[in-house]
Amino acid sequence: MSSPVAHPASSASSASPVPPPALTAVVTGASSGIGRATAARLVADGWRVLAVARREDRLAELAAETGCEVLGVDITEDASVHALVGRVRECFGEDLNALVHVAGGALGVEPAAEADLEKWQRMYDINVLGTVRVTRALLPALRTSGRGDLLFVTSVAAQEAYPGGSGYNAAKAGEHMLAAALRLELNGKKVRVIEIAPGMVHTEEFSLVRLGDQERADAVYDGVENPLTAEDCADVISYALNAPHHVNLDLVTVRPLAQAAAHRVARHQGV
């Protein structure tokens, strides 16, 4: 009696399912703080990331650690943002899944009556006009993808005024309203508009850049139990971007437990 003939499985049944292509993201302000942590987190999540910032040496370190793509970009310069559009095409083709706006920052704590208008102008140029410039440049690629996300990292300063914060309040409120207007303008399109508004986050540079002195910067966090970290914020950003695309987190305000408002923070006595 002849042995049964083994029939090879069809190629359709034996082939492994083809995984979907990795999602793609541009993260601005990626040389430090929340931007750096976000770029690293998205790479760990399986995203293909193009991390951008002005400081190319910091970006090179990030690329070596994570394998992300990098490009030195000044979001306040048209030519620099034009170069970013070209690099996005080189890395990802004609479409893009997420643009994460982290570049920004605060300068000074002078009251409005003593405003340093150069600082105000710089804050507006970075937090608002720079954000608009990059959004305008990359929005076509987000729409082409069919699964686009515009994510803005603003601040509780966009929601609550506080003494010494007027310039930053105004700039971040402008960015907040930009996000709100875009959500209306893009209604019906396959682009989510997400805003993450952190409270007190202890990063190496935010308060130092704002105050210009390490001792004063350190004092901002004195006695505060567990201020947020950049990684805490990256966790929230990751959750928002990886949620099913029909789920839109319009606005997430995230603070440390010790902070009840922008100007109300619990501090341990004697610290």
Side-chain angles (χ1 to χ4, degrees):
M1 185 173 179
S2 60
S3 300
V5 177
H7 294 284
S10 68
S11 58
S13 61
S14 62
S16 299
V18 177
L23 296 171
T24 59
V26 169
V27 180
T28 73
S31 60
S32 66
I34 296 172
R36 191 185 198 285
T38 297
R41 175 57 188 269
L42 291 180
V43 170
D45 288 344
W47 289 61
R48 297 169 61 203
V49 174
L50 174 56
V52 304
R54 288 180 300 156
R55 292 178 292 184
E56 296 184 23
D57 56 334
R58 294 284 192 95
L59 291 176
E61 294 172 1
L62 177 63
E65 292 175 15
T66 67
C68 70
E69 301 290 339
V70 296
L71 181 67
V73 173
D74 183 343
I75 65 171
T76 68
E77 297 291 340
D78 288 337
S80 190
V81 172
H82 180 73
L84 171 60
V85 174
R87 186 59 182 276
V88 169
R89 290 197 182 106
E90 290 176 4
C91 293
F92 308 138
E94 294 299 320
D95 58 8
L96 175 68
N97 294 117
L99 170 55
V100 184
H101 290 290
V102 186
L107 295 171
V109 291
E110 300 85 2
E114 301 169 12
D116 182 329
L117 296 185
E118 289 186 3
K119 291 179 180 177
W120 280 56
Q121 183 68 60
R122 182 63 178 166
M123 285 188 282
Y124 193 80
D125 285 344
I126 298 172
N127 291 284
V128 182
L129 297 183
T131 301
V132 173
R133 185 177 284 106
V134 179
T135 298
R136 183 178 62 182
L138 295 183
L139 185 55
L142 291 170
R143 294 184 64 174
T144 298
S145 75
R147 190 200 186 282
D149 289 330
L150 271 170
L151 190 147
F152 298 81
V153 178
T154 60
S155 170
V156 296
Q159 306 168 25
E160 305 163 352
Y162 58 91
S166 54
Y168 189 53
N169 289 145
K172 280 302 184 184
E175 188 178 5
H176 164 73
M177 293 308 296
L178 168 63
L182 279 163
R183 192 175 296 113
L184 295 172
E185 293 167 359
L186 293 170
N187 183 238
K189 313 301 181 186
K190 298 296 185 181
V191 179
R192 297 186 294 192
V193 179
I194 301 164
E195 181 181 354
I196 309 297
M200 177 179 279
V201 184
H202 192 177
T203 63
E204 60 182 311
E205 293 186 334
F206 180 84
S207 291
L208 178 60
V209 170
R210 184 175 198 174
L211 301 172
D213 177 85
Q214 189 63 61
E215 185 174 350
R216 292 176 68 199
D218 291 342
V220 171
Y221 311 101
D222 280 352
V224 180
E225 184 177 7
N226 296 325
L228 296 179
T229 66
E231 288 72 23
D232 292 329
C233 296
D235 284 346
V236 177
I237 292 166
S238 170
Y239 181 89
L241 293 178
N242 286 302
H245 205 252
H246 70 282
V247 177
N248 197 103
L249 302 185
D250 284 12
L251 171 61
V252 178
T253 302
V254 52
R255 312 178 198 264
L257 180 60
Q259 185 179 37
H263 59 286
R264 182 68 178 269
V265 181
R267 298 179 189 271
H268 294 304
Q269 299 297 316
V271 176

